[in-house]
Amino acid sequence: MAHVPNAYNNVPGQQNSSPGPFQQYSQIPQSQLPGPLKQDGNLDKQAPVMGFNSQNHFNQSGNSSPAFNQPGLMPQHTSSQSSPIRPLKPISNQPPMQNIQNIPMSSPSVHSNPNTISSSSPYPPNAQNQINNNAPPLVPSSQYSQPVMNGPMPAPNQRPINQYPPPSSSFSSPSVNQPPINSSYSPVNPSFGIQRPPTSMPPGLPANSHSAPLTGPRNSPQTTGPQVNMPPPSSMPNFAPPVGPLRSNIMNGPSGPPPMSAPITGPMPPKGLPSGPMLFGQPGPNLGPQTSQQQSKSQYNNGPTAPMSQHLPNMPPMQGLQSGLTPLPLMSQPGLKSGLPPMPPVSQPVLQPGLPPMPPINQPGLQSGRPPMPPMGQPGLQSGSTLPQMNQPMPGPASGPSTNLQNRYPQMQYSTQQQNQIQQNIAKQFPTHNLYGATQQMGQLSVTKQGFDQLWGHQMVDLLQCKQILPGYPEDPPEIRLGHQFAESPNCSPEVFRCTVNKIPETNSLLQKSRLPLGILIHPFKDLNHLPVIQCTSIVRCRACRTYINPFVYFVDAKRWKCNLCYRVNDLPEEFQYDPVSKSYGDPSRRPEIKSATIEFIAPSEYMLRPPQPAVYLFLLDVSQIARESGYLQVVCDTLKSNLNKLPGDARTQIGFICYDAHIHYYLMSDGLTRPKEMTVLDIEDIFLPSPESLLVNLGEHDDLIKELLTILPQRYSAPGVPASALGAALQAAYKLMAPTGGRITVFQTCLPNVGPGALQSREDPNARSSKDVAHLNPATDFYKRLALDCSGAQVAVDLFLLSSQYCDLATLSGMSKFSAGSLYHIPLFRAQRSWQADQLRHMFTRYLTRKIGFEAVLRVRCTRGVSVHTFHGNFFVRSTDLLSLPNVSPDAGFGMQLIIEESLADLQQVCFQAALLYTSSKGERRIRVHTLALPTTNTLPDVLHSADQECIIGLLSKMAVDRCSSASMSEAKEALINAAVDVLSAHRLAQNLPVGSASSSLHAPVSLKLLPLYILGLLKRKALRTGTSTRLDERVADMCFIKSAPLCAVMRGVYPDLYALHDLHEHVRRDKDNLVLPNPPRLQLTAERINITGAYLLDDGDSMIIYVSHGVSPAFLSETFGVASFNQLPDEARSLPMLENEGSELLHAFVDKLNDDRPYPSSLLILRDNSASRQLFTERLIEDRVESALSYYEFLQHVKTQVK
Amino acid sequence: MAFSFPAFSYIIALIVDAFLIFFSIFHVIAFDELKTDYKNPIDQCNSLNPLVLPEYFLHLIINLLFLLSGEWFSLLINVPLMIYHILRYKNRPVMSGPGLYDPTSIMNSDVLTICQREGWIKLAFYLLSFFLYLYGMIVVLIAV
């Protein structure tokens, strides 16, 4: 193992290891989940946990208190959010926008169409990058550039003006606001303040008065209180005329004010953006106006959006804005200082690329020169007023629409570090600035706010208005943007490691204000395709906290590195500077440890407490009367027989079998025997092992005996047997047998264990299956838990296959798997005669047998100082505050951790989490797999809300809800889930200063959380949590166990199943590199509205796929895919899809295969007609519809809305 | 100076209370060890659980003596703790042996926090009540 200079050796153990270009370390492709076996393995020494020592400070949870408070708090954070200039990148293509358009709006407005177009065109994906690159210059010096930056914002606004020919009066309001803004600025540029306000203002004033109230609420979401500008929906029409005044407003707004306000509200910006949608009417051409302000007046209609897009690339300076507020003022100021009163010229050149009306950008500069910025102002007004119109797609009330607009624009993300830097720079330059006052005034310019919001990615969605809220294709979680220092560093894949928020709040009080659960979800042993594996003599770790070196450490110099978790400076061993790729010494950052956030080490002997254990498998088979009736034994034995040689392991692999009914049957397969010998022990109270050494035998050496036994067993137990099951005794025997080595016990159980130790009694009341509160979710005895703890201590995991045909008290039995890190599979009402169930078991069991396995594992999660783990979720035993004991670890196991912030993170730029999994591979090798995730921090509430990862939140909430079910009650858990949605939306409302629920007809959510209520509704209707629908207790508990221990992707599929239309599959086809046809239909929302009587649909919940054929489907489709001529010839229920020689059938099969590709084993298929007796299997999954005793999505939103405070 | 039954009660209470103080010190230390990773939760629960009922029992004895000797004030002070003990034991997790602490849930930081806080509060209570009993004993002994 130890080669001094060459840190890396090829890893012997992994079958997959592909000697790549770099021999020093091999990348081990691990087969994808679905694939059969992935084994690692090696033998030799075992050692449980030596290496892991970490210091954890475990603190008290304490934080539960809902300290959510006033919105007002926000404003104080001047910095990050306000800055308008975030990178626009994603804006153009956003799916949500398209959806919006499609949505049938109750009140269709004229403007809707344009939006879609604009969204796509104006912001090319590239924009982001460009912006970033440019950014640096902006901050420091160039005054000119700054104006440009501002410019883009206003432009969007202009368009709205055109569309809406409202009365001029409305515009005036913005003008009113502006003056104050100017004043605030005045310290910097006195000239600005004076000039603008008066000039622009006059016309608007009257209008302002009424507009203000309206706008206040609506706009408020984006900006905090101050913004007065927004006209109510009704007022909207009025706006158009006032162009002249508006311009002025706009001008000012974008440049100076918006940034100011931003700090307060956070998401000020977007106003400009709304215009984006407007673009449709008038695309890019408008830019021209920017150059000449005058033009802008007339042109401004067109200009706004186009300019935005163009400018964006240039915008980089904008980043400065992020800091929030300050940047803008500065921007303008520089211009002033320079002595260029007419800023416009500067910016104009930039803008000119094409958009005439752009004026807003330049405007800051311009303003000084031109009091009435007409174009600018208009856009601004429009944004406020027009927003409703923009929304037109949305059926809802006018107020709603404004939010919708925002949706269209993708979020912009900014690195907080950059923002801070910018702010600091600004602060240095203009120490006297009164940002706060300025921001308040600025806040009134709602239009600009919206534009900035969009730039930042702080868009909102009006949930009540947005009917089609589900994006057609799954979206990636919000991107993680670290500071520039680590901007290039690879972060851990979100499939492996993700956090509920992608910007960590700096303080616990901020977290409480956001009302979001803070936690991480880990899928540590996921099958990975490219995993760098390293073998080296010494693994570089922090000496204080034992963190493994990772991409996010800071190299003080070539010889030292600073730990990113505890900040200790450590020495770097000589060999770490050797680069295995170039075979040269030097820069340590070329090492694979630094280049990859997920890495695997082959551990040296210090990491072993004992020699790595061999793979040992013991199967416990229930052969009681019910088990024999179910016929599962045949399936299991056949499957096992055919997969014997695929069991992960090495030459030491051992296997054994125990059957049990009222007694325990052992099978001896020792050397001297030619046939397996059965020994039955009648005494189940005091268990003993007849001949321990021949019960577990070497797999390789006794292959014949084992196969013979597997052949005999099903016959041996085919006759009727005893209706008794001594599971407890069998488990005790198994534990005795396995304790010396550790390994895996696989239990097949079909009935309630009713004799011997651990005997249970039926607790379920079939009549209470649909009652409001569910009892008996907790174990009846701790027998199985204690046994699991014993097993855990002996490095034995217990996996349970529950193939029940009756109540088995899974709530109690599941203890054996929960605390020994086992897995749990449940097939209710199993009958081997039902071929689909036999198939399901076969697939399940094959995957189970052949998947990779890690023995005697421990998982340690380390967090940056100040953050600590509060509660763990999953199957394991918690051995210390940050250490999970996992006797076995499988690629299908996921874990969740709730975190608490114990001390302020304000002086940190990022927070890191590191999960290290130490395990023994099936080849007897000790390995450490390390995942590192780094997240930026933030100090503003909107940033937290807008960086939330809704899927991860659902993953964590579901686990917390399951815990709540057992610790309190089902109804309390459901209440808590609904409250989670209410709290988050309330926090958002406070952050944005939106009107209170009853005062507004809309329900706003940040784009990043727009699906949260939908998912929560889905969660409430899951088997685990639903009430009012008849649900077997075992199925409910099985679903709970699944939620607790499954990786996020599997949980999400269960929460909100995917629905696809099959009848037009050929219309959504994409060709891959090999020119193979890949059907790629968009997802549909789960509502009967989407079910057409002439269609066929596939619903995929991960566990099963249901194909639902409506009676009006075309005969051509029927014959093509099902081979039947008419609808009536379809069977009531079918379990397989015929393979036909035609394009449609092949396409469908390709689609099903594709869906099956990303899960451990293929889902079972069920084909239903829409008049089948069991069609409710399908319809009950349409979770957006109302069912008895459960709300529809819309009702749910209404309910949430009434609760939002 | 009269050696009466109340005096006897106080003397016993003093002795028992000293034991209770040791119990709660042990409790505090045990949870501190858990928190700082020194101990395996299974071991720690195995050593803590057998002590739970004896502690409750000792506390009950004191109160029984106070009841019989008519020391109503001292009894009154102890009643809330007795009620707490009873409720706490009624709501303990499902377990077959005696005791309160379940190794699978004890590491949840809220449980850990509650237990630790409970230990400190009890320690303070027993200490204060120790001096109270001392005072009570002297008063009873002095009274003629």
Side-chain angles (χ1 to χ4, degrees), chain A residues 54 56 58-61 779-782 785-786 789 819 860 870-871 877-882, chain B residues 34-37 39-42 93-97 102-104 107-110 112-113 116-117:
Chain A
S54 68
N56 284 341
F58 188 52
N59 283 342
Q60 308 141 351
S61 55
T781 159
D782 70 339
K785 180 165 79 180
R786 278 188 292 119
L789 291 181
F819 303 108
R860 189 173 302 263
H870 172 267
T871 306
F877 173 63
V878 188
R879 205 154 63 191
S880 79
T881 47
D882 63 348
Chain B
L34 266 188
K35 212 166 186 173
T36 49
D37 273 13
K39 281 283 184 85
N40 182 325
I42 299 180
V94 177
M95 38 200 310
S96 42
D102 173 12
T104 59
M107 294 306 294
N108 284 355
S109 68
D110 27 10
L112 206 53
T113 309
Q116 209 170 23
R117 195 171 298 155

Short mmCIF file of all heavy atoms in Angstrom, two decimals, chain A residues 54 56 58-61 779-782 785-786 789 819 860 870-871 877-882, chain B residues 34-37 39-42 93-97 102-104 107-110 112-113 116-117:
data_model
loop_
_atom_site.label_atom_id
_atom_site.label_comp_id
_atom_site.label_asym_id
_atom_site.label_seq_id
_atom_site.Cartn_x
_atom_site.Cartn_y
_atom_site.Cartn_z
N SER A 54 -13.99 12.95 15.75
CA SER A 54 -14.23 14.31 15.41
C SER A 54 -14.69 14.95 16.66
O SER A 54 -15.19 14.34 17.55
CB SER A 54 -15.29 14.43 14.39
OG SER A 54 -16.45 14.05 14.96
N ASN A 56 -17.25 17.12 18.12
CA ASN A 56 -18.47 17.80 17.80
C ASN A 56 -18.93 18.52 19.00
O ASN A 56 -18.90 18.01 20.08
CB ASN A 56 -19.52 16.81 17.47
CG ASN A 56 -19.23 16.32 16.14
OD1 ASN A 56 -18.51 16.97 15.42
ND2 ASN A 56 -19.73 15.20 15.80
N PHE A 58 -22.04 19.51 20.51
CA PHE A 58 -23.37 19.19 20.22
C PHE A 58 -24.14 20.20 20.91
O PHE A 58 -23.96 20.39 22.07
CB PHE A 58 -23.52 17.94 20.94
CG PHE A 58 -24.69 17.37 20.67
CD1 PHE A 58 -25.07 17.18 19.38
CD2 PHE A 58 -25.51 17.02 21.63
CE1 PHE A 58 -26.20 16.58 19.16
CE2 PHE A 58 -26.62 16.41 21.37
CZ PHE A 58 -26.96 16.19 20.16
N ASN A 59 -24.96 20.86 20.31
CA ASN A 59 -25.68 21.84 21.09
C ASN A 59 -27.10 21.51 21.14
O ASN A 59 -27.59 20.68 20.46
CB ASN A 59 -25.54 23.19 20.51
CG ASN A 59 -24.24 23.71 20.84
OD1 ASN A 59 -23.63 23.21 21.74
ND2 ASN A 59 -23.77 24.64 20.14
N GLN A 60 -27.69 22.27 21.92
CA GLN A 60 -29.07 21.96 22.07
C GLN A 60 -29.81 22.52 20.92
O GLN A 60 -29.49 23.51 20.38
CB GLN A 60 -29.54 22.62 23.30
CG GLN A 60 -28.61 22.19 24.34
CD GLN A 60 -28.28 23.23 25.25
OE1 GLN A 60 -28.63 24.30 25.03
NE2 GLN A 60 -27.58 22.91 26.26
N SER A 61 -30.85 21.85 20.69
CA SER A 61 -31.62 22.23 19.56
C SER A 61 -32.18 23.59 19.76
O SER A 61 -32.06 24.49 19.01
CB SER A 61 -32.77 21.32 19.43
OG SER A 61 -33.47 21.33 20.61
N PRO A 779 -44.00 0.94 18.03
CA PRO A 779 -43.82 -0.49 18.27
C PRO A 779 -44.57 -0.95 19.52
O PRO A 779 -44.74 -0.19 20.48
CB PRO A 779 -42.31 -0.65 18.44
CG PRO A 779 -41.77 0.72 18.63
CD PRO A 779 -42.73 1.66 18.02
N ALA A 780 -45.01 -2.20 19.46
CA ALA A 780 -45.71 -2.76 20.61
C ALA A 780 -44.72 -3.28 21.64
O ALA A 780 -45.02 -3.36 22.82
CB ALA A 780 -46.61 -3.90 20.15
N THR A 781 -43.55 -3.61 21.18
CA THR A 781 -42.53 -4.12 22.10
C THR A 781 -41.17 -3.65 21.60
O THR A 781 -41.02 -3.34 20.42
CB THR A 781 -42.56 -5.65 22.15
OG1 THR A 781 -41.29 -6.10 22.64
CG2 THR A 781 -42.75 -6.26 20.79
N ASP A 782 -40.23 -3.60 22.50
CA ASP A 782 -38.91 -3.18 22.05
C ASP A 782 -38.01 -4.37 21.76
O ASP A 782 -36.81 -4.22 21.62
CB ASP A 782 -38.26 -2.25 23.08
CG ASP A 782 -37.88 -3.00 24.34
OD1 ASP A 782 -38.46 -4.07 24.58
OD2 ASP A 782 -37.02 -2.51 25.09
N LYS A 785 -36.24 -3.93 18.50
CA LYS A 785 -35.28 -2.83 18.56
C LYS A 785 -34.03 -3.25 19.33
O LYS A 785 -32.92 -2.98 18.89
CB LYS A 785 -35.93 -1.62 19.22
CG LYS A 785 -35.00 -0.44 19.32
CD LYS A 785 -35.74 0.83 19.63
CE LYS A 785 -36.07 0.91 21.10
NZ LYS A 785 -36.79 2.14 21.42
N ARG A 786 -34.24 -3.92 20.41
CA ARG A 786 -33.07 -4.35 21.19
C ARG A 786 -32.24 -5.32 20.39
O ARG A 786 -31.01 -5.28 20.40
CB ARG A 786 -33.52 -4.97 22.51
CG ARG A 786 -33.82 -3.92 23.59
CD ARG A 786 -34.07 -4.57 24.93
NE ARG A 786 -35.30 -5.34 24.93
CZ ARG A 786 -35.37 -6.66 25.14
NH1 ARG A 786 -34.28 -7.34 25.39
NH2 ARG A 786 -36.53 -7.27 25.11
N LEU A 789 -30.24 -3.44 18.01
CA LEU A 789 -29.09 -2.77 18.62
C LEU A 789 -27.97 -3.77 18.89
O LEU A 789 -26.80 -3.45 18.69
CB LEU A 789 -29.52 -2.08 19.92
CG LEU A 789 -30.43 -0.88 19.73
CD1 LEU A 789 -30.78 -0.25 21.08
CD2 LEU A 789 -29.78 0.16 18.84
N PHE A 819 -32.87 0.13 13.13
CA PHE A 819 -31.74 0.45 13.99
C PHE A 819 -30.51 -0.38 13.67
O PHE A 819 -29.49 -0.24 14.32
CB PHE A 819 -32.15 0.27 15.46
CG PHE A 819 -33.33 1.13 15.80
CD1 PHE A 819 -34.58 0.57 16.01
CD2 PHE A 819 -33.20 2.50 15.85
CE1 PHE A 819 -35.67 1.37 16.29
CE2 PHE A 819 -34.29 3.31 16.13
CZ PHE A 819 -35.53 2.74 16.35
N ARG A 860 -19.81 9.73 9.19
CA ARG A 860 -19.65 10.90 10.05
C ARG A 860 -19.91 12.16 9.24
O ARG A 860 -19.47 12.27 8.11
CB ARG A 860 -18.26 10.96 10.66
CG ARG A 860 -18.20 12.05 11.70
CD ARG A 860 -16.94 12.14 12.51
NE ARG A 860 -16.50 11.00 13.28
CZ ARG A 860 -16.74 10.82 14.58
NH1 ARG A 860 -17.50 11.65 15.22
NH2 ARG A 860 -16.23 9.78 15.20
N HIS A 870 -28.60 18.29 14.35
CA HIS A 870 -29.57 18.29 15.43
C HIS A 870 -30.28 16.93 15.52
O HIS A 870 -30.39 16.34 16.58
CB HIS A 870 -30.56 19.42 15.15
CG HIS A 870 -31.73 19.45 16.05
ND1 HIS A 870 -32.90 18.83 15.75
CD2 HIS A 870 -31.89 20.02 17.26
CE1 HIS A 870 -33.75 19.03 16.74
NE2 HIS A 870 -33.17 19.74 17.66
N THR A 871 -30.75 16.45 14.41
CA THR A 871 -31.48 15.19 14.39
C THR A 871 -31.12 14.44 13.11
O THR A 871 -30.95 15.05 12.07
CB THR A 871 -32.99 15.44 14.41
OG1 THR A 871 -33.31 16.28 15.52
CG2 THR A 871 -33.76 14.13 14.55
N PHE A 877 -27.92 3.49 13.60
CA PHE A 877 -27.89 3.75 15.03
C PHE A 877 -26.94 4.93 15.26
O PHE A 877 -25.83 4.94 14.75
CB PHE A 877 -27.41 2.51 15.79
CG PHE A 877 -27.19 2.77 17.24
CD1 PHE A 877 -28.24 3.15 18.05
CD2 PHE A 877 -25.93 2.65 17.80
CE1 PHE A 877 -28.05 3.41 19.39
CE2 PHE A 877 -25.73 2.91 19.14
CZ PHE A 877 -26.79 3.30 19.93
N VAL A 878 -27.41 5.93 15.99
CA VAL A 878 -26.58 7.10 16.25
C VAL A 878 -25.63 6.80 17.38
O VAL A 878 -26.05 6.61 18.51
CB VAL A 878 -27.45 8.32 16.64
CG1 VAL A 878 -26.58 9.56 16.69
CG2 VAL A 878 -28.57 8.51 15.68
N ARG A 879 -24.36 6.75 17.07
CA ARG A 879 -23.44 6.34 18.12
C ARG A 879 -22.87 7.53 18.87
O ARG A 879 -22.51 7.44 20.03
CB ARG A 879 -22.32 5.50 17.55
CG ARG A 879 -21.75 4.60 18.60
CD ARG A 879 -21.14 3.38 18.04
NE ARG A 879 -20.00 3.71 17.20
CZ ARG A 879 -19.42 2.84 16.42
NH1 ARG A 879 -19.87 1.61 16.34
NH2 ARG A 879 -18.40 3.19 15.69
N SER A 880 -22.72 8.62 18.19
CA SER A 880 -22.40 9.83 18.95
C SER A 880 -22.97 11.00 18.17
O SER A 880 -23.68 10.81 17.20
CB SER A 880 -20.89 9.95 19.16
OG SER A 880 -20.28 10.44 18.00
N THR A 881 -22.67 12.18 18.62
CA THR A 881 -23.42 13.32 18.11
C THR A 881 -23.31 13.50 16.60
O THR A 881 -24.16 14.13 16.00
CB THR A 881 -22.95 14.60 18.79
OG1 THR A 881 -21.53 14.61 18.78
CG2 THR A 881 -23.43 14.64 20.22
N ASP A 882 -22.25 13.00 16.00
CA ASP A 882 -22.18 13.17 14.55
C ASP A 882 -21.82 11.87 13.85
O ASP A 882 -21.38 11.87 12.71
CB ASP A 882 -21.16 14.25 14.19
CG ASP A 882 -19.76 13.85 14.63
OD1 ASP A 882 -19.65 12.88 15.38
OD2 ASP A 882 -18.81 14.51 14.22
N LEU B 34 -22.04 11.80 27.05
CA LEU B 34 -22.72 11.47 25.80
C LEU B 34 -22.55 12.59 24.80
O LEU B 34 -22.31 12.37 23.63
CB LEU B 34 -24.22 11.29 26.06
CG LEU B 34 -24.72 9.90 26.33
CD1 LEU B 34 -26.23 9.91 26.38
CD2 LEU B 34 -24.27 8.97 25.20
N LYS B 35 -22.66 13.77 25.31
CA LYS B 35 -22.63 14.92 24.43
C LYS B 35 -21.24 15.13 23.84
O LYS B 35 -21.10 15.65 22.74
CB LYS B 35 -23.04 16.17 25.23
CG LYS B 35 -23.76 17.19 24.40
CD LYS B 35 -24.42 18.19 25.32
CE LYS B 35 -25.27 19.13 24.52
NZ LYS B 35 -26.04 20.01 25.38
N THR B 36 -20.28 14.76 24.58
CA THR B 36 -18.92 14.98 24.09
C THR B 36 -18.31 13.71 23.51
O THR B 36 -17.10 13.61 23.40
CB THR B 36 -18.03 15.49 25.22
OG1 THR B 36 -18.22 14.65 26.35
CG2 THR B 36 -18.38 16.91 25.59
N ASP B 37 -19.17 12.75 23.18
CA ASP B 37 -18.68 11.61 22.40
C ASP B 37 -17.91 10.57 23.17
O ASP B 37 -17.38 9.66 22.56
CB ASP B 37 -17.72 12.10 21.31
CG ASP B 37 -18.47 12.47 20.07
OD1 ASP B 37 -19.68 12.59 20.17
OD2 ASP B 37 -17.85 12.63 19.02
N LYS B 39 -18.86 8.35 25.31
CA LYS B 39 -19.50 7.08 25.63
C LYS B 39 -20.43 6.63 24.51
O LYS B 39 -21.01 7.44 23.80
CB LYS B 39 -20.30 7.22 26.93
CG LYS B 39 -19.44 7.17 28.18
CD LYS B 39 -19.04 5.73 28.48
CE LYS B 39 -18.26 5.63 29.78
NZ LYS B 39 -19.11 5.53 30.96
N ASN B 40 -20.57 5.35 24.44
CA ASN B 40 -21.54 4.76 23.53
C ASN B 40 -22.92 4.89 24.17
O ASN B 40 -23.09 4.54 25.34
CB ASN B 40 -21.17 3.30 23.34
CG ASN B 40 -22.08 2.60 22.37
OD1 ASN B 40 -23.27 2.90 22.32
ND2 ASN B 40 -21.53 1.69 21.61
N PRO B 41 -23.89 5.36 23.43
CA PRO B 41 -25.21 5.56 24.05
C PRO B 41 -25.82 4.28 24.61
O PRO B 41 -26.56 4.34 25.59
CB PRO B 41 -26.06 6.12 22.90
CG PRO B 41 -25.22 6.08 21.69
CD PRO B 41 -23.81 5.86 22.07
N ILE B 42 -25.51 3.16 24.03
CA ILE B 42 -26.08 1.91 24.56
C ILE B 42 -25.53 1.65 25.96
O ILE B 42 -26.28 1.37 26.90
CB ILE B 42 -25.76 0.72 23.63
CG1 ILE B 42 -26.36 0.96 22.25
CG2 ILE B 42 -26.28 -0.56 24.22
CD1 ILE B 42 -26.11 -0.15 21.28
N PRO B 93 -40.47 5.83 26.55
CA PRO B 93 -40.55 5.05 25.32
C PRO B 93 -40.83 3.58 25.63
O PRO B 93 -40.59 3.12 26.74
CB PRO B 93 -39.17 5.22 24.68
CG PRO B 93 -38.35 6.03 25.59
CD PRO B 93 -39.18 6.46 26.75
N VAL B 94 -41.32 2.90 24.62
CA VAL B 94 -41.60 1.48 24.80
C VAL B 94 -40.32 0.74 25.12
O VAL B 94 -39.37 0.75 24.34
CB VAL B 94 -42.20 0.89 23.51
CG1 VAL B 94 -42.43 -0.59 23.68
CG2 VAL B 94 -43.47 1.60 23.16
N MET B 95 -40.24 0.16 26.28
CA MET B 95 -39.07 -0.66 26.58
C MET B 95 -39.45 -1.76 27.54
O MET B 95 -40.39 -1.64 28.32
CB MET B 95 -37.89 0.17 27.10
CG MET B 95 -38.25 1.31 28.00
SD MET B 95 -36.94 2.52 28.10
CE MET B 95 -35.54 1.54 28.46
N SER B 96 -38.70 -2.83 27.44
CA SER B 96 -39.06 -3.97 28.25
C SER B 96 -38.49 -3.86 29.65
O SER B 96 -39.11 -4.29 30.61
CB SER B 96 -38.59 -5.26 27.58
OG SER B 96 -37.30 -5.09 27.07
N GLY B 97 -37.30 -3.30 29.79
CA GLY B 97 -36.69 -3.19 31.10
C GLY B 97 -37.15 -1.93 31.80
O GLY B 97 -37.90 -1.13 31.24
N ASP B 102 -33.78 5.61 26.05
CA ASP B 102 -33.74 4.71 24.91
C ASP B 102 -32.53 5.07 24.06
O ASP B 102 -32.43 6.20 23.57
CB ASP B 102 -35.04 4.91 24.11
CG ASP B 102 -35.01 4.14 22.82
OD1 ASP B 102 -34.11 3.30 22.66
OD2 ASP B 102 -35.89 4.37 21.98
N PRO B 103 -31.61 4.15 23.90
CA PRO B 103 -30.37 4.50 23.20
C PRO B 103 -30.59 4.98 21.76
O PRO B 103 -29.74 5.63 21.20
CB PRO B 103 -29.56 3.21 23.23
CG PRO B 103 -30.50 2.14 23.62
CD PRO B 103 -31.60 2.78 24.39
N THR B 104 -31.73 4.64 21.18
CA THR B 104 -31.90 5.06 19.79
C THR B 104 -32.39 6.48 19.68
O THR B 104 -32.25 7.10 18.64
CB THR B 104 -32.91 4.14 19.07
OG1 THR B 104 -34.15 4.21 19.77
CG2 THR B 104 -32.42 2.72 19.06
N MET B 107 -29.77 10.27 21.46
CA MET B 107 -28.80 11.14 20.82
C MET B 107 -29.45 12.28 20.04
O MET B 107 -28.76 13.12 19.50
CB MET B 107 -27.89 10.33 19.88
CG MET B 107 -27.01 9.35 20.60
SD MET B 107 -26.02 10.10 21.91
CE MET B 107 -24.95 11.14 20.96
N ASN B 108 -30.77 12.27 19.96
CA ASN B 108 -31.41 13.44 19.35
C ASN B 108 -31.12 14.63 20.23
O ASN B 108 -31.32 14.58 21.44
CB ASN B 108 -32.93 13.24 19.26
CG ASN B 108 -33.29 12.33 18.15
OD1 ASN B 108 -32.44 11.91 17.38
ND2 ASN B 108 -34.57 11.99 18.06
N SER B 109 -30.71 15.69 19.62
CA SER B 109 -30.17 16.73 20.49
C SER B 109 -31.24 17.35 21.36
O SER B 109 -30.94 17.84 22.44
CB SER B 109 -29.46 17.79 19.68
OG SER B 109 -30.38 18.50 18.91
N ASP B 110 -32.50 17.29 20.95
CA ASP B 110 -33.49 17.87 21.87
C ASP B 110 -33.69 16.97 23.07
O ASP B 110 -33.82 17.47 24.20
CB ASP B 110 -34.83 18.19 21.18
CG ASP B 110 -35.10 17.31 20.01
OD1 ASP B 110 -34.34 16.35 19.83
OD2 ASP B 110 -36.05 17.58 19.26
N LEU B 112 -31.46 15.00 24.33
CA LEU B 112 -30.24 15.15 25.11
C LEU B 112 -30.29 16.42 25.94
O LEU B 112 -29.93 16.45 27.12
CB LEU B 112 -29.06 15.19 24.14
CG LEU B 112 -27.71 14.73 24.64
CD1 LEU B 112 -27.81 13.36 25.25
CD2 LEU B 112 -26.73 14.69 23.48
N THR B 113 -30.76 17.47 25.30
CA THR B 113 -30.82 18.76 26.00
C THR B 113 -31.79 18.70 27.16
O THR B 113 -31.49 19.17 28.27
CB THR B 113 -31.30 19.84 25.02
OG1 THR B 113 -30.50 19.76 23.86
CG2 THR B 113 -31.16 21.19 25.63
N GLN B 116 -30.31 16.69 29.98
CA GLN B 116 -29.25 17.38 30.69
C GLN B 116 -29.81 18.49 31.58
O GLN B 116 -29.41 18.65 32.72
CB GLN B 116 -28.28 17.97 29.67
CG GLN B 116 -26.89 18.06 30.22
CD GLN B 116 -25.88 18.42 29.16
OE1 GLN B 116 -26.24 19.01 28.15
NE2 GLN B 116 -24.63 18.07 29.38
N ARG B 117 -30.75 19.19 31.03
CA ARG B 117 -31.36 20.27 31.81
C ARG B 117 -32.07 19.69 33.04
O ARG B 117 -31.99 20.22 34.14
CB ARG B 117 -32.34 21.03 30.92
CG ARG B 117 -32.77 22.36 31.48
CD ARG B 117 -33.56 23.14 30.47
NE ARG B 117 -32.78 23.47 29.28
CZ ARG B 117 -33.32 23.70 28.09
NH1 ARG B 117 -34.61 23.63 27.92
NH2 ARG B 117 -32.56 24.00 27.05
#
